[in-house]
Amino acid sequence: MESVRWLLLLLLPLLDISAATPDPCELDEDDIHCACNFSEPQPDWSSAFLCVSAVDVEIRGGGRSLEQFLKRVDIDADPRQYMDMVKALRLRRLTIGAARVPALLLFGALRVLGYSRLKELTLEDLEVTGTMPQPIGIQGPGLSVLRLRNVSWTTGGAWLPELQHWLKPGLKVLNIAQTHPLDFSCDKVLTFSALTTLDLSDNPGLGKRGLMATLCPHKFPVLQDLALRNAGIQTPNEVCSALATAGVQPHRLDLSHNSMLATAKPEDPGCVWPSALNSLDLSFAGLEQVPKGLPAELEVLNLSCNRLNRKPRSDELPKVGNLTLDGNPFLIPGNSNPSSIVPSGVVPACVHSPLAVGMSGTLALLQGARGFA
């Protein structure tokens, strides 16, 4: 044992291991996940080469500007010169975060990644600065999943159609959270011909008006899943009107984690829900009674973790195959007036859940996952 200790002491200087200056990048033993956090005052950017063999790569810039790289990279260079090298990469999932990124640099990278096998791209905690260049011939990667979280664009609402031009068709999942602005230029937005999932959760300022501006009419022909958790929605009827205007026919609709009103606003007109809709999630919505104007028939209705003090009557509910009422005060045994005993009229299991504090489950999980430093 003593000889092993001496061997380690001899090897440490050779390996240049120092607790005071940890390597900004870490690659797991299976060469699958690689994470870089360039938070040091003078980061060693070359450490990112450690990730060249990884499948899942996460790079965070420590909140700094990446403007300096414009001087080192020829944005106008023909990306075909890197084609063989990029094709050889195992990269499938890429996360870029915590930086101010010039649009020229971002879209130059997308051009090169057009030769890769990248399928999932996540941009979070980014400020994209400057004007987006016009795409020239070569498109970016053929993504299946695109996630944008806390991304701001200096180009205003035109950013989505401009981003579309840099990606190959075929995007299936689009997640946009805490991203500004969300008022898309619908006349320029291309049709999302393959998009089946649209998640606009964790945009508390969205509301009815923002939803109407974001759900561009007839641009989502095959959409099946629409998530609007913590999106400033006040009544289900608001969403019904937006869906009707946009011609969107989702199968599943998630309105959880919104502060809901049980009755429709006087200015809300009557609305016919899409016939394809079969699942509606109204959990964690602060409801004291079943909202008016729900679809006439559903396969799944989730009313869990609300403030229902009695079991809903059949005439208050749609015809439903699977009804979930867990976590409502009326289910607490022996409590004749649950709202006077349980804080805010919500059962303890829901009160102590991280999902009951005004954020969606997605945001709660992501915030917990950002512990890498």
Side-chain angles (χ1 to χ4, degrees):
M1 182 63 70
E2 191 65 27
S3 61
V4 173
R5 291 176 181 172
W6 276 108
L7 180 61
L8 288 175
L9 288 173
L10 289 171
L11 287 175
L12 286 178
L14 298 176
L15 296 174
D16 194 25
I17 295 175
S18 171
T21 56
D23 196 315
C25 297
E26 294 182 1
L27 178 65
D28 67 14
E29 295 181 354
D30 299 320
D31 289 355
I32 298 297
H33 180 74
C34 186
C36 299
N37 191 345
F38 296 102
S39 57
E40 295 295 321
Q42 294 182 329
D44 180 10
W45 297 102
S46 64
S47 299
F49 285 109
L50 182 68
C51 300
V52 73
S53 63
V55 175
D56 183 1
V57 176
E58 178 180 344
I59 299 178
R60 301 190 179 278
R64 56 175 43 85
S65 173
L66 304 184
E67 188 84 25
Q68 57 176 305
F69 290 102
L70 285 177
K71 300 176 183 178
R72 307 183 193 179
V73 178
D74 184 2
I75 301 298
D76 297 323
D78 189 344
R80 285 175 290 190
Q81 62 183 302
Y82 311 111
M83 179 173 60
D84 292 338
M85 180 182 68
V86 175
K87 281 184 176 180
L89 295 175
R90 301 169 64 211
L91 182 65
R92 297 295 187 278
R93 296 178 295 277
L94 174 63
T95 298
I96 301 174
R100 296 188 300 278
V101 184
L104 282 173
L105 189 63
L106 175 61
F107 291 98
L110 288 178
R111 286 184 71 200
V112 175
L113 289 172
Y115 293 110
S116 74
R117 291 173 284 176
L118 182 68
K119 289 301 178 184
E120 298 185 18
L121 175 63
T122 300
L123 306 177
E124 60 183 29
D125 302 324
L126 290 184
E127 179 185 352
V128 183
T129 61
T131 304
M132 297 187 192
Q134 292 295 321
I136 304 173
I138 300 171
Q139 286 183 304
L143 299 178
S144 297
V145 180
L146 174 62
R147 303 182 185 93
L148 307 170
R149 178 171 293 277
N150 191 26
V151 180
S152 64
W153 307 77
T154 57
T155 55
W159 67 265
L160 181 60
E162 292 181 2
L163 182 58
Q164 278 184 297
H165 285 291
W166 283 92
L167 301 175
K168 294 183 179 76
L171 187 67
K172 295 179 180 179
V173 177
L174 177 60
N175 184 318
I176 306 174
Q178 297 175 296
T179 295
H180 314 284
L182 267 178
D183 186 6
F184 300 148
S185 301
C186 285
D187 56 328
K188 299 178 182 178
V189 171
L190 303 177
T191 299
F192 288 94
S193 57
L195 195 76
T196 58
T197 300
L198 177 62
D199 191 339
L200 299 175
S201 301
D202 299 319
N203 292 293
L206 186 66
K208 178 183 178 180
R209 181 175 298 180
L211 183 60
M212 297 284 283
T214 303
L215 282 182
C216 298
H218 311 298
K219 301 295 185 179
F220 306 96
V222 297
L223 190 67
Q224 296 181 11
D225 293 89
L226 177 61
L228 297 168
R229 298 179 296 273
N230 185 31
I233 302 299
Q234 294 184 315
T235 69
N237 203 345
E238 293 178 345
V239 180
C240 179
S241 299
L243 295 178
T245 301
V248 176
Q249 295 270 335
H251 296 187
R252 291 165 290 276
L253 177 61
D254 188 347
L255 301 181
S256 62
H257 303 276
N258 287 286
S259 297
M260 287 275 189
L261 303 174
T263 57
K265 296 179 180 179
E267 64 270 21
D268 286 345
C271 181
V272 177
W273 287 90
S275 58
L277 184 64
N278 56 47
S279 177
L280 178 60
D281 191 340
L282 294 174
S283 61
F284 291 95
L287 291 167
E288 296 181 355
Q289 65 185 69
V290 179
K292 305 292 185 183
L294 295 183
E297 185 173 351
L298 290 167
E299 291 182 14
V300 177
L301 176 60
N302 187 352
L303 289 169
S304 62
C305 289
N306 279 292
R307 300 175 183 174
L308 301 179
N309 290 326
R310 61 173 178 80
K311 183 177 180 179
R313 302 188 308 268
S314 59
D315 61 340
E316 296 174 312
L317 295 167
K319 182 180 179 182
V320 58
N322 186 350
L323 175 64
T324 303
L325 295 169
D326 297 343
N328 279 286
F330 79 88
L331 291 172
I332 300 177
N335 285 344
S336 59
N337 187 9
S339 62
S340 66
I341 299 174
V342 184
S344 303
V346 184
V347 301
C350 298
V351 170
H352 296 298
S353 168
L355 311 185
V357 293
M359 68 173 69
S360 79
T362 304
L363 182 57
L365 290 172
L366 283 174
Q367 287 185 345
R370 291 182 187 175
F372 174 76

